[in-house]
């Protein structure tokens, strides 16, 4: 029995390791020269740079399980308790920190003191939060509604939607609140903000992503006897099933397609695809990271959010990147970045360097030593109303061909947690399929 997995992102890696743990031999085929997919790193002079800042919450249990298998779980710095400083120009920073209270009371004191909102808005936000908590994210009707429309109907004006809900929903769904699917937004809020009190504690990688995921995964899969083929772009997949790489077919008892939805639609045989094929509706949504290296420290926090500013979240990358010599390297992470994705780097510099000076007083005296931009045009699928119905389950119409990927129907947004869950689900279905093949 052998299984070929196409795509070495977190979904493909998770599927491969789960199958190896069940003693199924695997071949992982990846087009790029590394594993890790949408989570990778590159060198820029002395800096080790990630393609985009990634964070995971304590409630991302499947993802953290993968890190344990890769023996890198100690390299994700998870806060002792959820604590976010919210920067504002011309005002002192605000703070959202969980209190040592049972859920859902643990965030109430922080919300009651959240200064960017007026007292009336804070009361309204508490009422909206209670309503959100009562929603059932599995209710298919929520998929057709925009989170912003629902929140507006509960007294959340544009400023409350931006300065409170946007902080979390935009980062988690890579969509503006007004464009985000309510079902997924409710799922994230329920799980992270109203679930276990420690669910939203934020974890930030202490090493470049390649040392957290791709490198350790390659070693782990090969040590367990698996074959990893890098720089091997799959050209087609047949229903028998076979995977064609460099013109040569590889036969398998099952194939897991852990590639983005556009590639899966192109590569799979028509008899495996659903009719009608709704995957193109999933589309893509960009993320841009603006990287600024200063000659001195300007932010004395590992990360902060910002409101009333194009800066959404800013992270201190100094130690992770290997920068030394007294400077500081910040990465500004911009989700739902349609308005920034095609803006030239010089214009982004002219917009964001002064903006960071407005938010961070210490940056006013600092010199910018380096500035660059990373752009991920297809960072996630577009998690807008209606997108849930277009997400497929892991089984296809062809027995022996399975899907994985953060875009499949995991119940989670397009995140590392979703990717890992999809890989585990595909591995479960593959094992069941192989048992059937064996019994025949
Ligand atoms: C900039 C950025 C920031 C993000 N921030 C966060 C965050 O903070 N928290 C979070 O949880 N998530 C975040 N995400 C989302 C997260 O990275 C993804 O949801 C997840 O990594 C997707 O994993 P995947 O395995 O489903 O897909 P991918 O990582 O896209 O993997 C698919 C793989 O298939 C390969 N492939 C494609 N075609 C072929 C072919 N023909 N033959 C062989 N291989 C092929 C690709 O090269 C790729 O390696 C972010 C994403 C980006 C881009």
């Amino acid at each position: 029995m052998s299984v070929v997995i196409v795509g070495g992102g977190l979904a493909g890696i998770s599927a491969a390791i789960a199958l190896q743990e069940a003693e199924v031999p695997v071949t992982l085929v990846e087009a790029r020269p590394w594993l890790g997919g949408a989570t990778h790193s590159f060198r820029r002079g002395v800096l080790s740079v990630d393609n985009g800042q990634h964070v995971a919450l304590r409630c991302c249990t499947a993802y953290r399980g993968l890190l344990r298998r890769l023996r890198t779980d100690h390299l994700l710095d998870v806060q002792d308790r959820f604590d976010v400083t919210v920067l504002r120009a011309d005002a002192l920073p605000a703070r959202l920190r969980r209190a040592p209270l049972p859920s859902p009371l643990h965030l109430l004191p922080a919300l009651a003191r959240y200064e960017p909102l007026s007292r009336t808005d804070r009361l309204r936000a508490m009422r909206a939060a209670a309503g959100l908590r009562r929603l059932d994210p599995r209710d298919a009707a929520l998929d057709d509604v925009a989170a912003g429309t629902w929140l507006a109907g509960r007294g959340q004006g544009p400023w409350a939607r931006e300065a409170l809900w946007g902080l979390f929903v935009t980062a988690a769904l890579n969509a503006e609140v007004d464009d985000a699917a309510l079902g997924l937004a409710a799922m994230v809020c329920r799980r992270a903000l109203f679930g276990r009190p420690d669910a939203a504690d934020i974890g930030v990688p202490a090493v470049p992503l390649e040392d957290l995921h791709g490198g350790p995964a390659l070693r782990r899969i090969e040590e367990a006897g698996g074959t990893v083929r890098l720089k091997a772009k799959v050209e087609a997949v047949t229903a028998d099933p076979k995977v064609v790489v460099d013109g040569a077919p590889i036969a398998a008892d099952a194939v897991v397609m852990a590639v983005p939805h556009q590639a899966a639609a192109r590569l799979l045989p028509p008899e495996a695809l659903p009719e009608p094929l709704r995957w193109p509706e999933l589309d893509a949504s960009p993320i841009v990271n603006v990287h600024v290296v200063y000659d001195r420290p300007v932010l004395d926090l590992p990360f902060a959010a910002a409101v009333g500013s194009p800066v959404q979240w800013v992270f201190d990358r100094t130690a992770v990147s290997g920068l030394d010599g007294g400077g500081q390297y910040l990465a500004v992470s911009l989700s739902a970045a349609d308005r920034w994705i095609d803006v030239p780097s010089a214009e982004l510099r002219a917009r964001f360097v002064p903006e960071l000076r407005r938010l961070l007083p210490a940056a006013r005296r600092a010199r910018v030593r380096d500035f660059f931009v990373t752009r991920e045009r297809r960072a996630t699928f577009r998690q807008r109303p209606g997108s849930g119905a277009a997400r497929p389950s892991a089984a296809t119409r062809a027995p022996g061909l399975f899907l994985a990927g953060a875009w499949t129907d995991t119940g989670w947004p397009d995140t590392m947690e979703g990717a890992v869950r999809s890989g585990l689900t595909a591995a479960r279905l593959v094992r069941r399929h192989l048992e059937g093949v064996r019994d025949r």
Side-chain angles (χ1 to χ4, degrees), residues 43-48:
R43 299 292 302 180
R44 180 183 168 93
V46 295
L47 299 183
S48 191

Side-chain angles (χ1 to χ4, degrees), residues 89-90 294 298 356-367:
D90 312 322
Y294 291 97
V298 299
L356 285 168
R357 274 195 224 116
R358 264 173 22 101
L359 294 169
L360 303 170
R364 292 169 201 161
R365 292 181 300 278
R367 197 171 59 82

Side-chain angles (χ1 to χ4, degrees), residues 294-325:
Y294 291 97
D295 64 349
R296 68 193 74 183
V298 299
L299 172 72
D300 59 359
L301 296 163
F303 59 84
V307 294
S309 163
V311 172
Q312 297 169 2
W313 290 80
V314 55
F315 294 82
D316 178 9
R317 304 279 313 165
T318 311
V320 182
S321 67
L323 179 75
D324 51 22

Side-chain angles (χ1 to χ4, degrees), residues 182-254:
L182 175 59
L184 278 178
M187 183 268 159
V188 167
C189 290
R190 278 178 58 111
R191 184 67 72 114
L193 303 179
F194 318 131
R196 284 174 50 125
D198 62 357
D201 299 351
I202 297 174
V204 181
V207 291
L209 291 169
E210 68 178 6
D211 298 331
L212 192 67
H213 305 143
L218 178 63
R219 285 192 292 281
R220 158 95 200 214
I221 294 168
E222 288 187 335
E223 274 164 23
T227 303
V228 179
R229 293 186 56 181
L230 298 175
K231 295 196 222 169
K233 189 165 183 183
V234 168
E235 291 143 16
V237 179
T238 57
D240 9 0
K242 284 194 195 73
V243 169
V244 184
V245 185
D246 293 332
I250 314 174
D253 295 292

Side-chain angles (χ1 to χ4, degrees), residues 6-12 29-32 34 36-39 51-56 232-235 258-260 263 266-267 287 289 376 378-380 404-407 414-417 419 422:
V6 184
L10 296 183
V29 187
E30 165 56 49
R32 293 196 264 190
W34 66 79
T39 69
N51 66 313
Q53 178 67 46
H54 279 66
V55 305
K233 189 165 183 183
V234 168
E235 291 143 16
V259 296
R266 209 170 44 243
L267 294 172
I287 296 179
N289 273 225
E376 290 283 356
R378 299 178 168 279
T380 65
W407 58 279
D414 188 331
T415 52
M416 299 188 288
E417 175 73 7
S422 76

Side-chain angles (χ1 to χ4, degrees), residues 107-187:
L107 292 175
L108 271 188
L111 188 50
R113 286 193 291 267
Y114 186 54
E115 282 169 7
L117 298 191
S118 68
R119 201 168 292 172
T120 320
D121 276 351
R122 286 178 233 163
L123 279 173
R124 286 193 187 128
M126 286 179 204
R127 277 201 295 273
L132 202 55
R133 205 168 145 250
R134 283 194 295 273
L135 294 180
D136 177 1
R138 287 164 307 180
D139 177 354
L142 302 192
D143 181 42
D144 292 327
V145 181
T149 307
W150 187 91
L151 285 166
R154 270 97 200 140
Q156 304 300 288
W159 176 241
R161 298 206 293 280
E162 180 196 326
L164 179 65
W165 301 103
L167 287 183
F168 306 105
V169 171
T170 301
L173 269 62
N174 193 22
E176 302 282 358
V177 178
D178 288 0
D179 302 329
L182 175 59
L184 278 178
M187 183 268 159

Side-chain angles (χ1 to χ4, degrees), residues 11-22:
I13 291 170
S14 303
I17 293 176
L19 287 166
Q20 287 188 308
E21 285 175 351

